[in-house]
Amino acid sequence: AHTFSLTGSGTINACTCLAGYAGSDGTECAPCAAGSYKTLTGDVACTPCAVDHYSDVPARTDTCGACPAFTFSLEGSNELTDCTCLAGYIGDDGTACTACEGGTYKINTGTGVCTECVASTYSTTVAAASAGKCLSCPAHTFSLTGSNEKTDCTCLAGYIGADGTACTACEGGTYKINTGTGVCAACDADKYSTTVAATAAATCKTCPAHTLSAISSDELTDCTCVEGFTGANGVACTACPAGSFKDLTGDGACTLCAADDYSTVVASADPAVCLPCPAFTFAVEGSNELTDCT
């Protein structure tokens, strides 16, 4: 069965296998199994379907059919479902597969899902077959899982810069609460912060008693005495005693009331608090009571 011979053949060995069948001349031939084919007549073997091809019919006489797009199969595949997705592609066995989108990858062949790039990485590659396609975000930035653009990498709290670029720390005296683009906020007047890359207004500490500072102050010593008080920068200041005044901020000394003047006012910032003694009396410099005028 499944042999033929030329007209006038005189021996059984002249009976040779048809295309799609295999066997020795003069014997019954067997059909090529699914997953193989034979285009020629005669005593030759069936050929396995090539890689990325399949055939689900026996006794095939032409080459095997190609697998759907972005699938592959092993040599000798005998079912359409032997065609399975390539790495970097997803879909059901036996159907055309779809590329993993940017921000994802798929390492293995076959069915499965695309895996998202982890947070603080990104990938612009479509059909990525390796986690190595997920690149680290620039310094001091972060991104959500599955990010597919470098500009998805945005500044951390405490840092400023354009999306997709390395970000710069907020300087002392400033802070930035939110992630993303934005500016560093200044510590209020009469506060200071030595913290670089601060993420909260609470890092701005209140200056010591009776001192003041400008906005964005970044050192304790930026806190300097208010008028009427004296002391070193960065420490609580002491009131100028009666009989003196200080009309400047900073770490200067209190100025004594001149001779023949007196003042009972503590922590005065106004030279006018030094009042003249009554007529025909005098007082020493720095006098702090009317009765000092004698």
Side-chain angles (χ1 to χ4, degrees), residues 15 19 24 30 40 42 54 95 99 117 130 188 199 201 226 238 277 293:
C15 297
S24 300
L40 302 174
Y54 76 98
T95 64
C117 292
S130 167
D188 292 338
T199 61
V226 299
T238 304
C277 285
C293 298

Side-chain angles (χ1 to χ4, degrees), residues 51-265:
V51 170
D52 301 337
H53 289 72
Y54 76 98
S55 174
D56 55 5
V57 295
R60 188 171 186 121
T61 60
D62 58 350
T63 55
C64 302
C67 283
F70 308 116
T71 65
F72 88 105
S73 67
L74 300 176
E75 184 180 68
S77 292
N78 60 7
E79 296 285 347
L80 175 59
T81 51
D82 292 334
C83 300
T84 192
C85 291
L86 296 167
Y89 290 84
I90 56 170
D92 295 327
D93 291 341
T95 64
C97 294
T98 303
C100 292
E101 297 178 347
T104 68
Y105 63 93
K106 178 169 165 273
I107 297 173
N108 298 318
T109 58
T111 56
V113 296
C114 303
T115 301
E116 290 185 326
C117 292
V118 298
S120 300
T121 67
Y122 71 97
S123 174
T124 60
T125 303
V126 175
S130 167
K133 295 295 184 180
C134 300
L135 305 177
S136 296
C137 283
H140 310 302
T141 66
F142 87 106
S143 67
L144 300 177
T145 58
S147 292
N148 61 5
E149 296 288 344
K150 190 175 184 181
T151 51
D152 292 333
C153 300
T154 191
C155 292
L156 296 168
Y159 290 83
I160 56 171
D163 291 341
T165 65
C167 294
T168 303
C170 292
E171 297 177 347
T174 67
Y175 60 94
K176 177 169 166 271
I177 297 172
N178 298 319
T179 57
T181 56
V183 297
C184 302
C187 289
D188 292 338
D190 304 335
K191 293 179 180 287
Y192 73 97
S193 173
T194 60
T195 304
V196 175
T199 61
T203 58
C204 302
K205 306 298 184 184
T206 301
C207 283
H210 309 302
T211 65
L212 61 84
S213 68
I215 62 171
S216 302
S217 292
D218 60 357
E219 295 289 345
L220 175 58
T221 51
D222 292 332
C223 299
T224 189
C225 293
V226 299
E227 296 175 347
F229 289 79
T230 186
N233 293 336
V235 299
C237 294
T238 304
C240 291
S244 67
F245 64 92
K246 179 168 166 273
D247 57 358
L248 299 173
T249 60
D251 59 357
C254 302
T255 301
L256 296 175
C257 290
D260 300 336
D261 287 344
Y262 74 96
S263 172
T264 60
V265 178

